[in-house]
Amino acid sequence: MPAAHPFDASYLRDGDDDDKLKEECGIFGVIGVVDAANFVALGLHALQHRGQEAGGIVSHHPDQGFQSARRFGYVRDNFTSQKIMETLPGSLAIGHVRYSTAGSKGQTAIRDVQPFFGEFAMGGAAIAHNGNITNANALRRELIERGSIFQSSSDSECIIHLMARSLQRTIPERMEDALRRVEGAFSVVAMTRTKLIGVRDPLGVRPLVLGRVGEGWALSSETCALDIIGADFIREIEPGEMVVITDKGVESHFPFRPQKPRFCIFEHVYFSRPDSILGGRSVYETREAIGRELAKEAPVEADLVCPVPDSGTPAAIGYSLQSGIPYAMGIIRNQYMGRTFIEPTEQIRNMGVRLKLNVNRALIAGKRVILVDDSVVRGTTSRKIKEMILDAGAAEVHFRIASPPTAWPCFYGVDTPQREKLLAATMSEEEMRDHLQVDSLRFISLDGLYRAVGETKGRNSAQPQYCDACFSGEYPVEPADQIESGFEMKAAE
């Protein structure tokens, strides 16, 4: 195998970037607009932060039928090509950007790239899925025993096979039938020849929103992708809701047994773009509120508050405003990371974080610095950033983290390391401070995080308002496949 290229996204993901949790997918669909695939490409570009490994678009034209294009890499490098976009005609299209969760991590085959397509007796259908099916292994075994032939390693393909085996008459009914068999987290955007379909799981773990674009409609993982196509944000798809959109408008119903919602709280902390709206709240304002709460809980005497860009920026601003300590861009991010001609020598590979971040030495020298970041996963990036700050002459380094310690893996659509590789799974806060070799380290409390996202009384321990399993170890849906593979759940207290 050739050595990994130091500027190659796949190399960075296995190295320094692995210290960040990855939201695994972004989904987008439009109906009722000319050249729908172009709108989808723009939407996927706005959702690129949710998946940078590969992307795909399926469209439908009354005369040419279903057409699809799936490519590795960034949306801008593939779906800005006129040659490709001309192969995707029609007024109805859906798309997907991905990292790998279930399936071949880091070794994605083109057959794993969504949307997936199936031809049924009543016509074709394509489906794009954000989330993770926690009983996929059991479903796959059952389906294979009954004669299904899988083309990919993705858990999402189970939905297509379950639809094929359903006895219901219409594709939306077959989708309902299939999704009732599925456990875990799913937001789905799907299409038939004439319909755009959106579904959220009963807990509403992953996001999905509805927008109006001209005379047509759009479904998206986030509101920021509606903005890029000039669509008006109408509302969030409710947990457990299915919408079926045609040229006659939007039909809504709730096919699943009602449950108390458990939206992913880490969407507020990190995954969603700061210019999106979640639960009626600005993500940026929520992150600023997290910083304010962190300053109340974990004050420290210092000269500067500096974000670890870009995800730590709103929280750092909030910390600065609450504490009165000046905010400064002590670390500058290189926005133009990409492939280059430089040979992957060991020396260059060891540069790691420095390829993306550089310290603003004139600001840092001689100062007591508070570094605000969104999370600590493995701790590898945090240590390197601390070393960079000290090398620049900082007098003290204090880490303040805008989320509680990440001590448990996520099984609902987030790429999380195995539990033993999570720093907080094996160390106390004090031990992590010693490991990172910083002057102080404090995380926001779970109650503090809940207050910052609008739950003024904090977390309801008897019935938590959000999915916070990565912090608490309390999984709202039992991860059956993982337990079968030996994963040990948190002992009941």
Side-chain angles (χ1 to χ4, degrees), residues 217-381:
W217 297 90
L219 291 168
S220 174
S221 290
E222 288 184 44
T223 61
C224 65
L226 299 178
D227 297 336
I228 199 174
I229 65 167
D232 294 322
F233 169 48
I234 302 301
R235 65 177 180 87
E236 294 186 4
I237 304 302
E238 296 293 325
E241 182 182 13
M242 171 183 271
V243 292
V244 180
I245 309 172
T246 65
D247 55 7
K248 296 182 176 65
V250 181
E251 295 180 5
S252 164
H253 68 291
F254 292 80
F256 311 109
R257 180 175 59 84
Q259 297 184 51
K260 187 172 174 60
R262 295 285 296 274
F263 183 62
C264 169
I265 200 166
F266 214 78
E267 289 278 357
H268 287 288
V269 176
Y270 177 68
F271 296 142
S272 293
R273 261 179 42 172
D275 50 335
S276 283
I277 305 293
L278 286 178
R281 292 171 59 91
S282 156
V283 174
Y284 179 92
E285 290 176 0
T286 296
R287 289 176 187 167
E288 187 181 292
I290 292 171
R292 288 180 180 272
E293 193 68 37
L294 188 54
K296 293 175 189 175
E297 291 187 352
V300 64
E301 290 187 11
D303 303 305
L304 294 175
V305 177
C306 298
V308 176
D310 292 315
S311 53
T313 301
I317 291 170
Y319 194 104
S320 171
L321 291 170
Q322 182 66 37
S323 66
I325 299 170
Y327 169 90
M329 292 295 290
I331 302 173
I332 307 301
R333 185 178 184 87
N334 175 10
Q335 301 291 349
Y336 301 99
M337 280 298 302
R339 295 172 187 270
T340 185
F341 57 85
I342 296 177
E343 288 298 317
T345 63
E346 189 67 26
Q347 182 182 6
I348 288 174
R349 282 201 297 273
N350 287 338
M351 289 180 183
V353 174
R354 294 176 190 268
L355 297 174
K356 294 180 295 179
L357 304 174
N358 191 42
V359 175
N360 194 344
R361 289 174 174 268
L363 281 178
I364 293 298
K367 301 291 192 347
R368 298 169 298 174
V369 179
I370 300 171
L371 288 177
V372 180
D373 204 355
D374 60 88
S375 60
V376 172
V377 182
R378 297 172 186 263
T380 51
T381 301

Side-chain angles (χ1 to χ4, degrees), residues 396-446:
E396 296 176 6
V397 179
H398 302 273
F399 262 112
R400 292 295 179 268
I401 310 300
S403 63
T406 304
W408 295 86
C410 174
F411 302 124
Y412 307 131
V414 178
D415 183 15
T416 317
Q418 293 173 323
R419 183 156 196 256
E420 58 270 20
K421 294 182 179 178
L422 296 169
L423 209 61
T426 56
M427 295 184 186
S428 66
E429 194 170 289
E430 190 63 25
E431 288 169 334
M432 283 189 274
R433 185 197 69 80
D434 292 341
H435 175 76
L436 297 175
Q437 298 175 344
V438 291
D439 292 280
S440 72
L441 168 69
R442 291 289 301 277
F443 295 80
I444 194 170
S445 67
L446 198 48

Side-chain angles (χ1 to χ4, degrees), residues 108-126:
T108 303
I110 199 69
R111 63 180 179 271
D112 293 322
V113 180
Q114 298 185 42
F116 291 135
F117 178 79
E119 194 71 64
F120 305 105
M122 65 288 295

Side-chain angles (χ1 to χ4, degrees), residues 172-202:
E173 288 171 346
R174 286 187 175 214
M175 186 173 295
E176 283 182 32
D177 212 17
L179 292 175
R180 288 193 187 102
R181 295 284 319 278
V182 164
E183 297 171 7
F186 55 85
S187 282
V188 168
V189 168
M191 62 182 280
T192 68
R193 290 171 293 187
T194 58
K195 298 179 176 72
L196 178 65
I197 303 166
V199 196
R200 277 180 86 187
D201 69 77

